[in-house]
Amino acid sequence: MRLIFTSLVSHGHLYPLLPLAVAARDAGHDVLFATGDDMRPVVEKAGLASESAGFGMREAFAAFFGPDASPPRASNGAPEEFYPVIGQVFGNVLPRRFLADLTPLLERHRPDLVVYESGNAGGAIAARLAGVPAIGHGFGRVSPGEVIDVINGRLAEFATEVGFEGAALHSYGDPVVDICPESVQSPDFLAGANRIPLRPVGWAEPGDLPPGVVGRDKSRPLIYLTLGTAFGDEDVLKRAIGGLARIDADVIVAAGPTVDPAQLGNVPANVRVEAWVPQAELLPHVDLVVHHGGSGTTLGAFGAGLPQLVLPQGADQFTNAEAVVAAGVGAQLIGGAIVEDAIHEQARTLLADEGVLGAARKLGDEVAAMPSPAEVAQRLPEFAG
C-alpha cells in the first residue's frame, strides 16, 4: 500500500507522526513523508523517503510581521492580541501553501491513503479534493478555545473558496489517530471523533544522554527543565534554573534552538545545561519535568508517569497546563507568577506529593495500555477504502 504522511514544518507537529510512519514502513508499506525542507533531514534520518511540501512557521508569520518574525508568545503581550494573525496563518496561509504543494504530489504518487497531521488543514483538503482516502493524526491534546474558533473561521472561508465544505481544525470528517490518553483528552473532541487510539511514543534523534544520568544515585532527584524548540525564553530559563537549583536535586536543562546556552551564564554546580538532549531517552531517568507545556513534552511526561510543573509560553500550552492540573499530575505557573521563589516551592512540593506521584503513575499505566505504532500500522489498510 502506498502511503503519504504530511505534517506542518515544526518538531512539535512532525515528531508525533514518525513512530507510525516508521511502523508502516516496517510493515511493508511504501511510505513517503511530505513536509517542509527544514524538517526533511529529520524524516530522512528516520529512514523515510521525503518530498518538499509547505513552509515553516517563520515564513508564514513573516507574511504579517516581516522577515524577522517569530511565532507570538505570551511574554510579548496578551495572547488574544495575536488571535487574528494566528487565525490567518493557520486558517489560510499554511493550508493554502500545503494545498498548492500537495496537489501535484498526490497526482504523481497516487497514494492509497494520506495520513495528515491534524494541524495541517492543507493536507486534509488536498486529499479530499484529490479523492484520496485520508485519516488525521493528532499531535497532542485537542485544545478548544477562542483562538481555535478564530482559526476555524478563517479556515472555513478558505475551504469554501477551494470547494471543501465542513473544515475545522482537528475535525475534517475523517478518522483520527489520537495519541492523547482518553482520560485527559478534550471531552468535546471525544464526543465527536472517530478515534483511533495510539500510544504516544516519544521520538528523538539519536544521541547520548548527559554524563551521570545512567547509573546515578537515585536517592537524589533528577529534574528536567525545557522550554521546547519554539518558545525558549532566556529570562524564564534563568528564573527556573535559580528556583530549581535551590532544591537538593540535580537539574538538566535543554536550552533548545532558540536560546544560546552561553547566555544563561554560570549556573550552580547541581545544574547542567545542554543545547539539546534526547528527551525520549532521558524521561525514564527523571523525577520531575518543568516545561513549557508543549504537546510532545506533556505527553512524554504522561507516558513516563512523571509529575509536571508547567510554565506555558504560547499556543496550546495554556490548555495543556490546565489539563495537567485537572488530571492531578502537576501544577502550573503563568505570566507574572513565573518567578524563582514560586518555581522553587512548586517543584519541591511536587517531588514530595504522594497524591500527584500516584496520579502520574496511573496516567503512565493508561498510556502503556494504548495500542502500539506497530498495532495501528496493521490497521491502516482498512482506512484505504
Side-chain angles (χ1 to χ4, degrees), residues 131-157:
V132 178
I135 61 174
H137 191 306
F139 56 87
R141 186 178 185 273
V142 175
S143 299
E146 185 178 349
V147 66
I148 298 298
D149 293 339
V150 174
I151 292 172
N152 283 338
R154 302 291 77 75
L155 181 56
E157 293 172 358

Side-chain angles (χ1 to χ4, degrees), residues 135-136 173-178 189-197 379 383:
I135 61 174
D174 299 316
V176 181
V177 175
D178 185 12
F189 172 77
L190 291 174
N194 179 0
R195 181 172 176 265
I196 308 164
R379 293 189 57 193
F383 302 107

Side-chain angles (χ1 to χ4, degrees), residues 151-234:
I151 292 172
N152 283 338
R154 302 291 77 75
L155 181 56
E157 293 172 358
F158 171 68
T160 298
E161 174 190 332
V162 298
F164 181 108
E165 298 297 331
L169 200 65
H170 303 292
S171 177
Y172 309 96
D174 299 316
V176 181
V177 175
D178 185 12
I179 63 173
C180 184
E182 187 172 353
S183 68
V184 291
Q185 182 57 280
S186 163
D188 290 342
F189 172 77
L190 291 174
N194 179 0
R195 181 172 176 265
I196 308 164
L198 171 65
R199 184 187 313 149
V201 176
W203 186 272
E205 294 183 35
D208 295 328
L209 289 170
V213 170
V214 178
R216 69 183 179 85
D217 179 5
K218 294 189 177 181
S219 65
R220 183 177 172 87
L222 179 61
I223 301 172
Y224 171 46
L225 168 63
T226 180
L227 295 182
T229 57
F231 286 87
D233 186 291
E234 179 184 323

